[in-house]
Amino acid sequence: MLIEVDFAGDIPIYTQVRDQIVIGIAAGLLLPDEPLPSVRRLAADIGINVHTVNKAYAQLRDEGYIRMDRRSGAEVAPPMEKSPSYLATLETKLYPIVAEAICHRAGAGDICDVVNRVFLALGDRGEDGNE
Amino acid sequence: MLIEVDFAGDIPIYTQVRDQIVIGIAAGLLLPDEPLPSVRRLAADIGINVHTVNKAYAQLRDEGYIRMDRRSGAEVAPPMEKSPSYLATLETKLYPIVAEAICHRAGAGDICDVVNRVFLALGDRGEDGNE
DNA sequence: CGCTTGTTCTATATCATGTATAACACATAT
DNA sequence: ATATGTGTTATACATGATATAGAACAAGCG
């Protein structure tokens, strides 16, 4: 599970780390209860500060993606429950993106094609046949 | 075309203004060549600084959504060309969102359902039958 | 001239981001 | 006991983004 960071981009480093770990969990590269590298270790590997990694980990913990213990370190959390309230959050995030797509003359099919492409790219090991 | 801003949220004001105008264009509430309120006018209406509105307008101009003239003011730009390069940008934006959705046990169908729902909410007047 | 338009400039205040260093509480291994 | 490794917290500093404020400019129009 290699994590790379773009220092030149306008996306915060801790957000990049957080996103890549979420992607790793979604893709099945990070399995439940699997230990994550310690904050100091990952910071040294990437070449960033400990607090930056800690901020990413803390956010992941608050969002329920990982579990942190002062002694045993950080671990991937068990799979989430399927909460309908998340769909409202998803809709809020998709609203400006879909509007942009419409302005670029993309149809709903075009957007869903991209969604399915990303889904397949992540889903090689991410699905376990729940539906 | 009413624009409202959430001062308490963590989304920059100029981004909120920019997003709502994009949504307005996508929904057909703002038609091509339609004049936008002046930066001073909109700033006064919303209750924010002129520079904040100017930043939103400048970004919209750089992205091709609107056209600005020093004398005639700001106007909605003509419809965009359908560029394939945008789909790559869209895919980059959707990647973390789809990963999040997978972690929340949402399937590709669930995501596309939300996309279609947003598409319909915006598309009441946004489509003109291009495909 | 008077008014409006976008544009640019300076200045200030606040918050986010990232780094740096250090210490703490807790657990484990030597 | 000592050493090492966890996450956690605290302080400090530098930089950039965000937002505000006031002022001025060039250009068009009645």
Side-chain angles (χ1 to χ4, degrees), chain A residues 67-87:
Chain A
R67 180 167 23 99
M68 298 181 83
D69 195 321
R70 186 176 307 185
R71 42 200 185 283
S72 58
E75 298 173 352
V76 178
M80 291 181 169
E81 302 291 335
K82 196 171 183 178
S83 74
S85 66
Y86 169 73
L87 292 181

Side-chain angles (χ1 to χ4, degrees), chain A residues 5-27:
Chain A
V5 164
D6 175 27
F7 294 93
D10 51 348
I11 302 178
I13 300 178
Y14 76 92
T15 300
Q16 296 185 44
V17 174
R18 178 260 177 200
D19 284 349
Q20 291 191 40
I21 291 180
V22 172
I23 291 174
I25 295 176

